[in-house]
Amino acid sequence: MEQDRRFAVDPPETSANDTPGPQLLGRLYQPDARDWDIPRLLEIAEPPESIRQMTIEQVLTDTSYFSDWRSYLVFWRWLRTQREPVATRDTAPAWELTTQLDQGQTGHCVGFGWAGWVDAMPVAGTYQNADAHALYYECKVIDGEPGAENGSFVRSGALAVRERGRLAAFAFAHTLAEIDEWIDSQGSIVVGTQWTNDMFEPDANGFVRPTGAGAGGHCYLMLDRIADEDAYLFQNSWGSGWGQSGRFKMKRGDFDGLLQDQGEACCAVELPH
């Protein structure tokens, strides 16, 4: 899991790693019956034959195909089927992410989780710490609490990123099978779960274990499935001094326990920019 990474150009005065604790946990949870699930997101037809014979530039300039987000979603899914399968790689994340963000001593983890998603492949971005903080405050506008420092929802982060024109649609995975399929072939996943006191300090091998008393809700980014360790790899937003250069691992069974306990795994369709 070693990888060359650059720090965000605008480091906070005080890193999140300086004092890890509940003040860094700002993920709220509230189910919404309108949320899509993964089967609905993937039940999208291929684009028509006439479109598939064109280049992307031709589609953009010569047709009105991309006049609404549904067409983007259809084309995106078809395009994914044309890619070479993503090889299982346990020495580096399947979805490369070269910027290490640091939320400082704030509870803005939802903004930072989504900023990491923007920065990660397959469509690399250039978001910095300031962008992540701005995303958090955009979430709070969506929440109806502008400027509040009481955390936000993973869903609000998806809506904020969609308003920026960076994603077409999103859905929530509810099983490890859905998560494995997405992380292996589609992209990174923004997750929100409970965070326990024992999770603040990964062990010598980079693993966190969700034991001990609950400390609050946290938002972070899943980058890879590590098959030979039966684990997932995540990037946190607490600076490079935390965990293994800002990253940690969790056994799939441990993550499943968090997922089933009001956890969220948000899979989003990223748009080119």
Side-chain angles (χ1 to χ4, degrees), residues 197-268:
N197 287 335
D198 292 342
M199 296 172 74
F200 285 109
E201 295 186 13
D203 66 21
N205 295 314
F207 281 93
V208 301
R209 304 193 185 280
T211 56
H218 189 39
C219 178
Y220 45 102
L221 187 67
M222 179 186 289
L223 288 175
D224 195 9
R225 179 171 68 94
I226 308 175
D228 60 359
E229 295 187 79
D230 192 31
Y232 295 117
L233 174 67
F234 301 89
Q235 176 139 321
N236 211 347
S237 55
W238 294 351
S240 62
W242 184 86
Q244 293 193 327
S245 299
R247 292 182 173 160
F248 67 97
K249 295 180 286 186
M250 195 186 314
K251 291 293 186 180
R252 291 172 70 251
D254 286 341
F255 182 75
D256 190 36
L258 293 175
L259 183 67
Q260 302 309 319
D261 183 19
Q262 299 185 345
E264 299 169 289
C266 191
C267 305

Side-chain angles (χ1 to χ4, degrees), residues 45-55 58-59 63 65 74-75 78 82:
E46 291 185 353
E49 181 67 24
S50 60
I51 292 294
R52 283 184 281 158
Q53 299 304 314
M54 296 182 178
T55 66
Q58 288 173 325
V59 174
T63 76
Y65 183 70
V74 170
F75 188 75
W78 175 79
Q82 309 308 305

